[in-house]
Amino acid sequence: VQRVFAYHGAEHKSISALEANAVLEPAAVQKFGTAHPRCGTAFLLQSMLTSTVVYAIVGKRTPLGRIGTRVALVPLVAGISFEVLQFNAQHLDSRVVRFLNAPGMLLQRLTTRQPTDDQVEVALQALQGAMAMDAEDA
């Protein structure tokens, strides 16, 4: 599991380097941190918080009604969570946003580790492959 967490850290470092227009080579990428504001782990945490609020607004239902409303509202919860994550990532200079982002960033301490250079190379290959696929679709 520690190796998977190191690859997760390598992924974050690679994306951070790309966003900073840094050279996409292991030595340059290693200078970046393993936490990233738009991480899927942070998204899951945001989704749990959002679902708590949304389902509280919906109120109590019968067991069958509860299942139905929860399934029906999954796209709403996911959409709100995604938009909150995107907004927060674009406003990291705000102290309030950094405070609100802190739980997701702290959670990433559990799900990322410092990668080795060869793990960063794998993440860079994956990133370049994804960018090539994206270019083909454009």
Side-chain angles (χ1 to χ4, degrees):
V1 174
Q2 296 300 318
R3 239 175 109 69
V4 172
F5 290 168
Y7 278 110
H8 189 201
E11 172 201 358
H12 286 188
K13 285 177 175 254
S14 299
I15 294 296
S16 295
L18 175 69
E19 292 173 346
N21 293 318
V23 178
L24 296 179
E25 295 175 353
V29 171
Q30 285 285 24
K31 295 177 183 172
F32 291 87
T34 59
H36 194 274
R38 290 187 320 275
C39 175
T41 304
F43 175 74
L44 290 174
L45 179 62
Q46 182 62 49
S47 296
M48 287 189 306
L49 297 172
T50 302
S51 67
T52 301
V53 172
V54 168
Y55 298 139
I57 291 170
V58 170
K60 294 190 179 213
R61 301 270 187 253
T62 65
L64 188 58
R66 195 173 320 137
I67 292 169
T69 55
R70 291 190 184 208
V71 169
L73 292 174
V74 165
L76 176 67
V77 168
I80 291 170
S81 300
F82 178 79
E83 292 301 329
V84 167
L85 212 60
Q86 291 291 88
F87 177 86
N88 287 352
Q90 293 172 359
H91 297 90
L92 289 174
D93 53 330
S94 164
R95 289 170 60 170
V96 172
V97 169
R98 280 196 314 269
F99 176 77
L100 294 174
N101 243 19
M105 300 300 272
L106 289 171
L107 185 58
Q108 289 178 56
R109 288 187 182 181
L110 298 174
T111 63
T112 61
R113 295 290 178 269
Q114 287 297 331
T116 60
D117 284 348
D118 65 315
Q119 290 171 318
V120 170
E121 286 178 23
V122 170
L124 288 171
Q125 286 292 332
L127 177 60
Q128 290 166 352
M131 289 172 22
M133 287 173 44
D134 202 32
E136 289 175 8
D137 291 341

